[in-house]
Amino acid sequence: MRQTFIDTATALIDADPRTALVLADISAAAFEPAALKHPDRVLNVGIREQLMIGVAGGLALTGLRPIAHSYATFLVDRAYEQIKLDLAHQGVGAILVSVGASYDGSSAGYTHMSPMDVQLIDTLPGWTVHVPGHPGEVAPLLTAATAHDDPVYLRLSTQTNDIAYADAALLRPVRHGSKALVVAVGPMLAPVLAATRGLDVTVAYTHTPRPFDTTGLRELATSGNVAVIEPYLAGTSAHVISEALVDRPHRLLSLGVSRRDLHAYGTPADHAHRHGLDPATLHTSLTTWLR
């Protein structure tokens, strides 16, 4: 996904004089050819993530469409106040593109993990959040985001599904059943499909959890049982689901990254297992809930 982002952003900067890029050292080497070609629109502010967002806000005020990029923990966690003030409060938009996700950078420790990024963005009004599950979804999402001025968060990961779904801004059913609706967000589709094999459930996929497709949710949640599996903090979308189904009886299971700090390095697969997001543990959680 990261390489697809670099290639797509470089092409957009070449093609559209309104597109700009602000970096804080992360991926600077990959964007060096674009920076040499467009030094007025490809800016590296050094390891100053708060400044990166401030500069993006300033560029947006001049009419440019800025992309700001770093690890999620630096882009969102560290620079949240600037996102709130320099973008949201000023009424300007930018495209924030992160790598690292919840625990892709687990080998570097907790400094490079951000399971809370989407929940932080969710506190601000008007943001579109894209969580692609396949590299093939990245280019269309990024290209579409440069065509308007609204705020967009594009969360990239090294975890991927087997198939790209370009039409998954709305809930897209990929398996049908009768006992429950299981919503998989972004790269959670692959483990969810493995976990639900043999279960009588509908599995629906989305790469755009904000705005959440509440119309599709209501159409698909005919059993009243809804499970949402997200690759960030468990329960991030619980309030959206509950509000959408407030007028009908329903049961909600929210699975995702737990709020406890594991105090561990290891691989992303290690962290997925310890947070209950591997296929075997997901299967146990779902079958227990469905009894």
Side-chain angles (χ1 to χ4, degrees), residues 78-101:
R78 180 176 293 174
Y80 175 77
E81 183 180 14
Q82 282 65 45
I83 296 171
K84 180 181 74 174
L85 297 177
D86 296 347
L87 296 178
H89 186 62
Q90 291 196 113
V92 296
I95 306 167
L96 308 185
V97 181
S98 73
V99 293

Side-chain angles (χ1 to χ4, degrees), residues 22-24 45 48-60 66-70 74-88 90 92-97 121 127:
V22 191
L23 303 171
V45 301
R48 302 175 180 88
E49 289 83 7
Q50 293 95 330
L51 176 60
M52 173 178 63
I53 299 301
V55 170
L59 292 174
I67 301 168
H69 165 64
S70 188
F74 307 139
L75 179 66
V76 179
D77 304 3
R78 180 176 293 174
Y80 175 77
E81 183 180 14
Q82 282 65 45
I83 296 171
K84 180 181 74 174
L85 297 177
D86 296 347
L87 296 178
Q90 291 196 113
V92 296
I95 306 167
L96 308 185
V97 181
I121 292 293
W127 281 79

